Amino acid sequence: MTTTKKNAAPLKIIPLGGLDGIGKNMTVFECGSDMVLVDAGLMFPDDSQPGIDLVLPDYTYVLENEDKLRGIIITHGHEDHTGSLPYLLQDLNNKVPIFSSKLTLGFVEGKLSEFRIRAPKFREVNDGSHITLGCMTIDFFSMTHSIPGALGVFIKTPQGTVLHTGDFKLDQTPIDGIRPNYGAITRFAKSGIDLLLSDSTNATVPGFTKSEAEVGPSLYEVIKNAKGRVFVASFSSHIHRLQQICNAARACRRKIVVTGRSMLTNTRVARELGYLDIEEKDLIDAYELSGVPDRQVLVMCTGSQGEPLSALSRMANGEHKTLSIHEGDTVIISATPVPGNEKAVQQVINSLAKLGCDVYDKSRRLVHVSGHGSQEELKLMLAMTHPSYFMPVHGEAVHLRAHAGLARKMGIPEERIFIMDNGDTLEMRDGKVKRGRSVESGVVYVDGLRIGDTDPIVLRDRQKLANDGMVTIVATMSQKHKRIEGVELSARGVSFTIDDEFTADATDAILKMVEKGSFNFTSSGTDALRKAVRDSISNFIWNRTKTRPMIIPVVMEV
C-alpha cells in the first residue's frame, strides 16, 4: 500500500451498473485527473419493459469526465460485460484504448463492426500483463469462468489497492487447462489488498460449483441416445460448452449445423483465434441438410433464454427460414435462465413439448453448470485475498447481501463491508475506505433505433395496452347548437364486446357528463371537452367491465 497525503485526491470507486440485477456491469475507478472504466455491459429487458430491446447502464458520468478517461478494461467477453461498448464509444469524442484478452477483443471487434465503429484502439492483455494508466497501475491475472480469456484485475493507486475478481469460479479442471492464477492472487494479498470487489452471482448457492468438465459426459450420453436430430441451445459466447458439444457430436458421428446470428459470429471468431476446435469437414450448412439422416445431424443454436427472435424460438414456432423441429427430435437447453427469463424459457419448452420433442435441461440431466463460484469458492476468495474492506458486486440485492453475510463469517467487520447501489461512491484515502457522494446513475433503454431515457409513462402506457387494450372515442361537437351531436366507439385488444347497447349506454354517460359541466363549445374549449369525454368513458367502462383500457378521446367540430 502506498501512503500519501490525506488532502490528496481520493480514489473513487463508482459502480454505474451491475448492482441491481445480473447484467450491465460497469465500474468507474477515478483518482485525481485519471479515470479507468472496468466493463461496459448490458441487460435484456424484463416483462415490465415492453418494446424495449436492451437495457444499458447510464454512463453520463463517464461522458461528463471523458477528459480523464485513460482506458477501458473488459474482464471477459459476455454481453453483460461488453454489450454497451458500441453505444459508449459512439458517444465519446475521443478514442480510448480498450484492454482485454484476445478472444474478448475478437468478440468486441465483431460487435463494433456491426455499428460501423472503425479502428478501435485495441490492446491485448493476458495473465501477467502489467499496464499503467495515469496514476494507476493494473495487473491482470487469469480466472476461470464459462468463457476463455476471463481476467481479474489488481489496481494499485497512490491511495491504495483494489482487487476486482471479474466473473469467476474456482474450476480445477477447466476445459482449456487454464486455472485461476492463485499465485498472483496470493502475491497481491501479501502486498496488501485494501478493497476487494467480488462476483456475487451464486452467493446464495451452498457448496462448490461443479466443473465444466462434468458437463461433457452428460452431453455425450444424451446425444448418443437421441434417435432423431439434436438441437443444443446455449450462450453463443460459452466457448467451453460449445467445444464439448462439438466433441460429443464428432464422437457420435453427427454433422454440426450452426444457426443464429451471434452463434455464427462467435463460433467463427473463436475458430479463427484458435479457441474452438471444429474441423471444416464436421460442419454443414443448414441449406445442405437435404438427404442427411436425422441421426447424423446436430444443430448448435441461440435461444437458451427464450428470446422471441432467437433461432430456437423461431424453430419452435415454425418460423425459422431453414430449419424446423418435429416429433422425435431432441432439444438440449444448456443454460440456466437469467432471473426474469424463466417464464419465456418455459414457454419455449412447452412449445417444443407440443411438437413431440424430447427436451433436456439441467433439471433432468447435467447439461449445464454455472460459470460462477458458489459459497465455498467465494469464501476461499475472501480467505486468499484477506482484504481490509469488501464490496460485493455483480448481482441482485439478495446476492449482494448473501455475499456480505459470507464476508462477516470470514471475519471482515460489518463496518468494513459496503453493500452499494448503482451510482453510490466509495472513497479511499491512504488505504481507508468510506462512502462518498453519489453520482447520476440509472438505465438507458435501447428502443428500436432510439437510444435514451424512455419515459416511464411510455412503459406504463405499453403495459396498459398489453393488459387492457385501447378504446378510441370520437365525439362530434356542434359549435352552432353547442352540444355533442354524436359518439363513435372503436376498440382493439379489449376483453369486452362493443355492440349497439354498449355504445348507446356509453353515449348516455358522456352526454350526462357534458350536461353537468359548463363547457365552451368552440375550438379553444376542446381540451376541456376531450378530458370530460375521456373521464366519463373511463368510469363507464370500469363500472361495466372492471377493466381500464387506454382511452383515446377525439373531439371533432362540425
Side-chain angles (χ1 to χ4, degrees), residues 380-411:
L380 277 171
M381 180 59 68
L382 286 160
M384 283 189 293
T385 54
H386 195 63
S388 300
Y389 298 85
F390 175 60
M391 173 182 159
V393 295
H394 301 183
E396 299 177 335
V398 64
H399 304 120
L400 304 181
R401 293 187 177 278
H403 204 172
L406 296 177
R408 285 192 291 271
K409 290 181 180 179
M410 296 298 295

Side-chain angles (χ1 to χ4, degrees), residues 83-395:
S84 65
L85 255 182
Y87 305 96
L88 173 62
L89 295 179
Q90 285 177 328
D91 289 338
L92 289 172
N93 293 314
N94 300 311
K95 288 186 177 181
V96 296
I98 301 169
F99 299 87
S100 198
S101 61
K102 181 168 69 172
L103 178 65
T104 303
L105 293 179
F107 285 169
V108 170
E109 183 177 24
K111 184 180 295 294
L112 297 187
S113 66
E114 294 178 11
F115 287 76
R116 298 181 181 178
I117 298 175
R118 297 179 179 176
K121 299 172 70 173
F122 287 152
R123 302 289 185 269
E124 183 183 335
V125 291
N126 303 288
D127 177 47
S129 293
H130 176 88
I131 63 173
T132 299
L133 296 174
C135 68
M136 292 178 252
T137 61
I138 297 150
D139 291 277
F140 296 84
F141 56 96
S142 63
M143 295 296 283
T144 47
H145 186 38
S146 55
I147 184 174
L151 298 168
V153 293
F154 178 66
I155 303 173
K156 191 173 183 180
T157 77
Q159 293 289 7
T161 60
V162 182
L163 189 140
H164 190 315
T165 66
D167 285 2
F168 79 96
K169 69 177 182 179
L170 302 181
D171 193 340
Q172 308 312 308
T173 55
I175 300 303
D176 58 4
I178 300 176
R179 298 178 182 85
N181 191 336
Y182 297 112
I185 295 170
T186 52
R187 186 171 67 252
F188 300 141
K190 189 174 181 179
S191 68
I193 296 172
D194 294 315
L195 175 65
L196 172 67
L197 276 60
S198 184
D199 175 18
S200 306
T201 306
N202 274 356
T204 59
V205 181
F208 291 86
T209 301
K210 290 181 181 294
S211 171
E212 176 65 28
E214 296 187 41
V215 177
S218 292
L219 286 170
Y220 170 74
E221 286 299 318
V222 174
I223 294 169
K224 181 183 73 172
N225 295 321
K227 294 180 173 56
R229 293 174 299 171
V230 177
F231 296 79
V232 187
S234 68
F235 286 114
S236 62
S237 56
H238 197 334
I239 302 303
H240 291 324
R241 183 69 45 77
L242 300 185
Q243 184 65 68
Q244 297 198 91
I245 294 167
C246 292
N247 292 344
R250 280 192 296 235
C252 297
R253 298 182 179 180
R254 288 179 180 264
K255 294 291 186 180
I256 301 165
V257 179
V258 181
T259 186
R261 187 179 66 172
S262 64
M263 187 68 76
L264 286 163
T265 300
N266 288 350
T267 53
R268 175 185 57 79
V269 171
R271 290 181 68 210
E272 290 174 354
L273 297 178
Y275 287 93
L276 187 59
D277 178 22
I278 312 176
E279 295 186 25
E280 197 67 36
K281 66 182 179 64
D282 294 319
L283 292 169
I284 186 171
D285 191 274
Y287 290 102
E288 300 171 356
L289 282 177
S290 178
V292 179
D294 287 353
R295 287 186 62 91
Q296 295 179 17
V297 175
L298 181 141
V299 178
M300 292 197 309
C301 61
T302 55
S304 64
Q305 299 301 304
E307 307 96 311
L309 298 181
S310 66
L312 183 63
S313 294
R314 289 181 182 273
M315 288 186 284
N317 296 323
E319 299 171 351
H320 197 280
K321 61 182 180 180
T322 55
L323 292 165
S324 61
I325 299 177
H326 50 70
E327 186 173 358
D329 289 340
T330 296
V331 178
I332 302 171
I333 298 179
S334 187
T336 296
V338 173
N341 290 354
E342 296 89 351
K343 185 177 179 181
V345 173
Q346 191 59 48
Q347 287 176 340
V348 172
I349 292 175
N350 287 332
S351 297
L352 294 169
K354 289 178 181 178
L355 294 174
C357 297
D358 200 4
V359 182
Y360 288 84
D361 62 11
K362 70 170 190 174
S363 66
R364 186 176 174 190
R365 195 67 64 87
L366 187 63
V367 294
H368 173 72
V369 294
S370 175
H372 302 269
S374 299
Q375 289 180 352
E376 296 306 312
E377 289 150 283
L378 301 184
K379 288 193 283 188
L380 277 171
M381 180 59 68
L382 286 160
M384 283 189 293
T385 54
H386 195 63
S388 300
Y389 298 85
F390 175 60
M391 173 182 159
V393 295
H394 301 183

